Amino acid sequence: MCLAIPAAVTKILPDEMAVVSIDGVSKEISIALIEDLAVGDYVIIHVGYALTKIDPEEARRTLDLLRELSAE
Amino acid sequence: MKYVDEFRDKEIALGLAKAIRAEVDLARPYRFMEFCGGHTHTVSRYGLEDMLPNNVRMIHGPGCPVCVLPAGRIDMAIHLAMRPEVILCVYGDLMRVPGSQGASLLKAKARGADVRMVYSTIDAIRIAEENPAREVVFFAIGFETTTPPTAIMIRLAEKKHLSNFSVFCNHVLTPPAMQNILESSDIRNIGGVEIDGFIGPAHVSVIIGTTPYEFIAEEFGKPIVITGFEPLDMMQAILMLVRQVNEHRHEVENQYRRAVIRDGNLRAKEEVSTVFELRDRFEWRGLGRVPYGGLRLKPAYTKYDAELRFGMRELCVADDPACECGAILRGIKKPVDCKLFGTVCTPVTPMGSCMVSSEGACAAHWTYGRFRDHQQRPVS
Ligand code: SF4
């Protein structure tokens, strides 16, 4: 039950809510736990709440490192 | 980037498997426990164990909040739900968890109890607003990942002056459970398990950060790598653990940097500490009473505490003696070691909690692993 999924923010709504898209499916979620969210950001969703923003820079760095490690 | 497929690339996974093979010392075992059910699910679903050398073994730990919820708490919830004035709101996973004598919330619902499945705490608030003449109780359960949404909901109930709303709190904490697995006195009775390192929880750590695990790394000398749920994340984490073991290091390392920072989510932690405080002890299925292993509402919020509002009596129920959940949650036994596995106990007819949640070790093995049993590798 701790499974959570990445989703893209498509619309910020009033009352700390937002619409996200998960593989094209829209869902309304709470963003009360996150600061400074913008349309286009990716968040991790769990039980209807965004838990955190995904850091695209860090994601890229991890992928680069994975490629490096696998090529060693 | 969508942060999913990129971390499932087969070629990179094979490259990582090669890197792991190149670095392991064949003369010693590497026994790594994944604490989190999401990781157990990934290991089974992508067959990661088949990609690892024989002396690297994954041990499936407690996993999932549903798996560690004792049967007595389910019985308490069933009694509550049978009261005519009560609407009990629960996350879907809980409906089929067995209480005593095969009882479940699903069966209670069939007998007339008003049990409603919710996706989010926001739904529970809405139900309370729509039913002012009824008592709406939210069955709160979960590790640190699920606790902040409960805290936010309680504060929202307060803001909206909802007087027909309360929470049956079953929130539990991860680090004390890790400690319990390593040092519980019970281990003398049911046997201990050797662990050379932990795959640390992904989304729990999104909230609490990496610092709460430092005492385990330091005091117990166990390496911990916090990692994401995708197969490449896990393969990299296993490589990082192998390196720590080889270099005699025991640190908390963070593979999941795209989502986890050292201090975690400060806003979420603040919400939680406003509303909740530690319980001295809380019973975990399979682990017994874990010191400081659970949370309850702070005095300022006790009016939302369903246990007090309805005078709920603590019920302790022993698990079915044939069910090996306890030993499985501690990583001492594997699902196939339970004689009920796949016969009496299947996901459709679960006898124990490990078979209910898709993240439970038994359910994960039933869904993805059982076809490989005939070629099970020797345990090192
Ligand atoms: S197979 Fe069923 S009865 Fe056996 S340990 Fe797993 S959940 Fe419990």
Side-chain angles (χ1 to χ4, degrees):
Chain A
M1 73 166 289
C2 277
L3 287 182
I5 34 170
V9 177
T10 53
K11 196 172 176 190
I12 308 278
L13 302 173
D15 296 330
E16 301 190 305
M17 298 294 285
V19 180
V20 293
S21 156
I22 308 161
D23 275 337
V25 179
S26 287
K27 216 170 175 54
E28 210 171 291
I29 57 143
S30 164
I31 51 170
L33 293 169
I34 305 197
E35 276 158 45
D36 305 329
L37 208 58
V39 169
D41 283 344
Y42 269 79
V43 286
I44 289 178
I45 315 280
H46 176 60
V47 294
Y49 283 75
L51 297 183
T52 189
K53 244 194 285 194
I54 299 179
D55 182 335
E57 247 334 286
E58 287 291 357
R60 212 161 290 129
R61 243 175 259 156
T62 302
L63 278 174
D64 289 344
L65 183 63
L66 284 166
R67 275 189 211 107
E68 244 169 68
L69 287 169
S70 80
E72 263 173 22
Chain B
M1 206 175 328
K2 286 163 80 190
Y3 306 101
V4 179
D5 296 346
E6 304 89 341
F7 294 89
R8 294 181 182 174
D9 184 294
K10 191 174 166 201
E11 288 311 311
I12 300 180
L14 291 173
L16 287 169
K18 209 168 116 206
I20 293 169
R21 271 198 304 278
E23 296 201 26
V24 296
D25 172 0
L26 289 174
R28 58 151 304 155
Y30 297 80
R31 295 152 297 196
F32 301 137
M33 173 179 274
E34 78 270 359
F35 183 91
C36 208
H39 288 136
T40 303
H41 194 88
T42 303
V43 168
S44 302
R45 177 168 178 190
Y46 296 96
L48 297 192
E49 276 170 308
D50 294 345
M51 300 173 77
L52 299 173
N54 276 339
N55 59 331
V56 179
R57 190 188 142 203
M58 303 309 292
I59 300 165
H60 313 314
C64 155
V66 172
C67 298
V68 299
L69 186 74
R73 303 292 289 184
I74 292 286
D75 282 2
M76 287 168 75
I78 292 173
H79 287 173
L80 185 65
M82 292 311 289
R83 295 171 75 123
E85 75 274 30
V86 167
I87 300 174
L88 185 70
C89 298
V90 303
Y91 290 133
D93 304 38
L94 277 172
M95 292 297 271
R96 290 164 51 250
V97 180
S100 60
Q101 290 156 2
S104 70
L105 286 165
L106 195 63
K107 287 181 188 161
K109 189 176 164 76
R111 280 175 27 227
D114 196 346
V115 184
R116 302 194 192 175
M117 251 162 68
V118 293
Y119 166 68
S120 165
T121 59
I122 299 161
D123 302 336
I125 290 282
R126 190 183 33 80
I127 292 170
E129 285 178 312
E130 287 168 1
N131 295 275
R134 306 278 303 278
E135 281 286 340
V136 173
V137 183
F138 177 68
F139 191 150
I141 176 174
F143 292 137
E144 290 87 338
T145 329
T146 321
T147 313
T150 307
I152 289 202
M153 171 188 64
I154 290 169
R155 302 226 299 132
L156 194 63
E158 187 183 41
K159 212 161 102 193
K160 290 178 178 259
H161 304 289
L162 280 179
S163 57
N164 64 331
F165 182 79
S166 57
V167 170
F168 176 40
C169 181
N170 294 276
H171 283 299
V172 287
L173 300 170
T174 319
M178 270 190 181
Q179 178 175 359
N180 186 278
I181 287 170
L182 291 168
E183 66 173 10
S184 152
S185 54
D186 258 28
I187 281 185
R188 281 182 220 117
N189 303 330
I190 58 172
V193 60
E194 295 291 334
I195 295 173
D196 300 300
F198 284 100
I199 298 272
H203 296 134
V204 163
S205 308
V206 162
I207 303 296
I208 66 174
T210 62
T211 46
Y213 306 102
E214 282 168 5
F215 81 98
I216 294 187
E218 277 159 28
E219 286 174 28
F220 294 93
K222 302 291 177 195
I224 297 174
V225 178
I226 311 290
T227 186
F229 285 133
E230 297 304 336
L232 292 193
D233 291 323
M234 285 200 75
M235 291 298 279
Q236 186 189 357
I238 292 166
L239 180 59
M240 290 164 80
L241 282 173
V242 166
R243 285 183 176 171
Q244 282 209 47
V245 170
N246 288 351
E247 292 161 14
H248 305 287
R249 287 186 292 121
H250 41 87
E251 294 159 21
V252 179
E253 292 183 316
N254 180 10
Q255 182 277 338
Y256 198 33
R257 287 174 180 274
R258 63 185 182 279
V260 170
I261 54 171
R262 191 176 144 81
D263 290 331
N265 182 332
L266 295 177
R267 195 156 165 179
K269 287 200 294 190
E270 201 182 303
E271 287 288 344
V272 170
S273 62
T274 304
V275 174
F276 293 104
E277 64 184 16
L278 287 175
R279 293 190 197 236
D280 294 346
R281 297 178 173 273
F282 190 74
E283 192 188 340
W284 287 50
R285 202 169 214 159
L287 298 187
R289 293 188 163 257
V290 176
Y292 306 111
L295 295 173
R296 65 167 171 236
L297 296 171
K298 274 189 167 166
Y301 292 92
T302 44
K303 62 172 182 281
Y304 298 107
D305 187 336
E307 285 179 69
L308 298 175
R309 185 181 293 208
F310 298 97
M312 290 169 76
R313 212 161 41 87
E314 187 81 48
L315 295 174
C316 288
V317 180
D319 281 328
D320 189 306
C323 170
E324 299 277 12
C325 277
I328 285 169
L329 292 168
R330 286 167 187 268
I332 296 164
K333 289 191 175 169
K334 290 180 283 168
V336 286
D337 298 330
C338 174
K339 60 177 187 294
L340 304 185
F341 179 82
T343 54
V344 184
C345 184
T346 68
V348 183
T349 54
M351 294 290 291
S353 47
C354 297
M355 193 58 101
V356 176
S357 158
S358 64
E359 293 149 70
C362 296
H365 190 68
W366 169 268
T367 311
Y368 303 111
R370 69 197 149 112
F371 304 111
R372 285 200 306 271
D373 281 348
H374 65 282
Q375 54 188 37
Q376 197 100 50
R377 300 169 318 147
V379 172
S380 19

